[in-house]
């Protein structure tokens, strides 16, 4: 697994990756790096027990974006130490899962479709990753001084001393996936990346401030709520598939009646309404990025009939995909 830090200001002061003892020759029990001695642009490899990459690069003044796509070959624990930093981090898990703990805090379980929001200052944070499980993440990090100049203090107080974990909304999920797939490197691409990074942050903070984060209603059992969140993530991650209620029920191990009633109770939309909304926001993002024909966008978000797609798009946004 290769780490690359384009902006040293957002890199940890030290990184340690531990794993259980392994008899296989050439696989050390621990990988430790002093990040201050690294060449940021060239990056470094943490060892053969992981494949993939993690790249952190500067998106704008006081804004950095980190995208990762990796596979651990066995269970590992990663510890980062930071000294002299003042950052707000918005970490979105798009695929896989991990546990997350900051110094002095409780453990948070982060699954695909979740986001962790925290204020990063001096200290240590730890993440545990399961072997054999692909993991894709997007993190936006903003310098504290910049964010505090834009956001009311009472909003940031929400996670100044604690970690906030919440499900990604449809809109935030679409923005995070656009950031993850970003390929450009020119000045115009950097401007677009900064805009997307700040859009993601503003959406997440807005949802926190509005209290629109998903909370379990008192009349919904914890296990049922976990299954409903899994159903929500399944819809968001498989836009192109024709998933029936029966299919979804089997995937999340929840009977159809509880699934349909619980979904509307917890998220305010029926399953079909939510899936349509997910598809529309994903389609709008593809159209804004450009380069695809309307029929290609329709196919990518699960519509085989272009006319039906255009009508659904018009109903959602008040205009056709072509703007007419």
């Amino acid at each position: 697994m290769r780490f690359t830090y384009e902006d040293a200001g957002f890199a940890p002061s030290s990184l340690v990756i531990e794993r259980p003892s392994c008899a296989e020759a050439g696989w050390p029990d621990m990988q430790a790096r002093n990040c201050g001695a690294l060449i940021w642009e060239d990056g470094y490899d943490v060892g053969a027990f992981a494949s993939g990459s993690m790249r952190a690069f500067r998106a704008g003044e006081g804004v950095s974006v980190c995208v990762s796509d990796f596979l651990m070959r066995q269970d590992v624990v990663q510890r980062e130490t930071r000294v002299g930093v003042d950052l707000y981090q918005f970490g979105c898990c798009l695929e896989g899962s991990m546990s997350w703990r900051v110094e002095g805090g409780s453990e948070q379980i982060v699954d695909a479709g979740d986001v962790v929001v925290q204020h990063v200052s001096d200290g240590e944070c730890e993440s545990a990753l399961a072997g054999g499980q692909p993991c894709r993440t997007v993190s936006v990090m903003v310098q504290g001084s910049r964010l505090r100049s834009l956001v009311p203090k009472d909003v940031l107080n929400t996670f100044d001393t604690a970690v906030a974990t919440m499900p990604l909304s449809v809109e935030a999920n679409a923005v995070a996936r656009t950031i993850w797939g970003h390929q450009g490197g020119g000045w115009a691409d950097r401007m677009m990346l900064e805009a997307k990074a700040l859009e993601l942050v503003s959406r997440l903070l807005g949802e926190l401030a509005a209290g629109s984060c998903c909370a379990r209603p008192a009349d919904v059992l914890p296990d049922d709520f976990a299954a409903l969140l899994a159903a929500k993530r399944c819809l968001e991650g498989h836009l192109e598939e024709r998933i029936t209620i029966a299919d979804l029920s089997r995937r999340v191990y929840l009977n159809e009646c509880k699934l349909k009633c619980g979904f509307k109770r917890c998220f305010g939309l029926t399953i079909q309404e939510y899936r349509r909304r997910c598809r529309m926001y994903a389609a709008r993002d593809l159209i804004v990025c450009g380069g695809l024909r309307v029929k290609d966008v329709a196919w990518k978000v699960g519509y085989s009939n272009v006319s039906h797609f255009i009508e659904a798009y018009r109903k959602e946004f008040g205009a056709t995909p072509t703007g007419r």
Side-chain angles (χ1 to χ4, degrees):
M1 179 179 176
R2 191 165 184 78
F3 283 70
T4 305
Y5 288 97
E6 188 178 87
D7 188 343
F10 291 94
S13 304
S14 67
L15 172 68
V16 176
I17 298 181
E18 298 177 353
R19 62 190 185 80
S21 296
C22 180
E24 184 174 344
W27 282 34
D29 290 334
M30 178 182 292
Q31 291 281 337
R33 306 287 180 182
N34 180 353
C35 295
L38 299 174
I39 301 174
W40 309 109
E41 292 81 2
D42 291 344
Y44 61 98
D45 203 310
V46 300
F49 58 86
S51 60
S53 65
M54 189 222 71
R55 182 183 177 214
F57 46 93
R58 185 172 180 172
E61 186 62 37
V63 180
S64 182
V65 169
C66 175
V67 294
S68 66
D69 185 6
F70 58 86
L71 172 68
M72 296 295 177
R73 295 193 171 91
Q74 64 176 159
D75 295 353
V76 299
V77 175
Q78 176 177 307
R79 294 186 179 88
E80 295 181 8
T81 304
R82 295 181 182 270
V83 178
V85 297
D86 174 20
L87 303 172
Y88 288 91
Q89 182 174 2
F90 303 79
C92 307
C93 183
L94 303 183
E95 183 178 345
S97 67
M98 66 183 72
S99 68
W100 185 268
R101 186 197 303 271
V102 294
E103 193 170 32
S106 59
E107 183 179 50
Q108 306 284 329
I109 303 299
V110 186
D111 293 314
D114 288 342
V115 56
V116 172
V117 186
Q118 64 173 327
H119 181 215
V120 181
S121 54
D122 292 1
E124 185 177 272
C125 58
E126 173 186 295
S127 56
L129 304 163
Q133 176 182 255
C135 193
R136 289 182 175 181
T137 65
V138 169
S139 289
V140 174
M141 292 162 282
V142 185
Q143 289 286 2
S145 57
R146 179 168 187 188
L147 200 61
R148 286 190 289 269
S149 70
L150 299 171
V151 180
K153 184 177 180 180
D154 61 321
V155 176
L156 296 181
N157 283 345
T158 304
F159 48 88
D160 257 341
T161 56
V163 177
T165 303
M166 56 190 255
L168 278 166
S169 65
V170 176
E171 299 87 345
N173 190 291
V175 177
R177 289 182 180 277
T178 299
I179 293 173
W180 190 88
H182 178 79
Q183 297 293 329
W187 64 267
D189 296 307
R190 291 294 176 125
M191 289 181 67
M192 178 62 74
L193 182 62
E194 180 180 19
K196 285 295 180 183
L198 293 177
E199 179 185 355
L200 179 60
V201 169
S202 66
R203 286 189 181 279
L204 295 173
L205 290 177
E207 291 164 11
L208 279 171
S212 59
C213 308
C214 298
R216 181 176 65 86
D219 58 348
V220 176
L221 296 174
D223 286 349
D224 291 349
F225 187 61
L228 292 167
L229 288 174
K232 181 173 176 284
R233 290 192 290 265
C234 183
L235 294 173
E236 294 167 351
H238 300 84
L239 299 180
E240 74 288 354
E241 292 185 27
R242 290 181 174 273
I243 302 176
T244 67
I245 300 294
D247 292 334
L248 196 58
S249 174
R250 286 190 293 269
R251 291 190 188 195
V252 301
Y253 305 103
L254 191 66
N255 72 59
E256 293 184 33
C257 182
K258 281 189 173 183
L259 177 62
K260 291 188 290 185
C261 295
F263 200 96
K264 180 67 180 289
R265 175 80 174 87
C266 293
F267 309 126
L269 297 171
T270 67
I271 290 172
Q272 298 299 342
E273 288 169 342
Y274 188 74
R275 175 162 52 189
R276 182 167 58 250
R277 194 175 185 202
C278 285
R279 287 171 167 173
M280 291 303 100
Y281 275 94
R284 186 177 68 171
D285 209 63
L286 289 169
I287 289 166
V288 169
C289 290
L292 290 175
R293 296 173 296 180
V294 171
K295 69 176 184 179
D296 294 329
V297 173
W299 179 80
K300 281 182 173 291
V301 297
Y303 281 82
S304 58
N305 187 304
V306 178
S307 296
H308 289 172
F309 166 71
I310 292 174
E311 180 59 18
Y313 192 96
R314 185 191 64 76
K315 285 182 179 180
E316 184 70 34
F317 299 117
T320 65
T322 58
R324 297 192 295 273

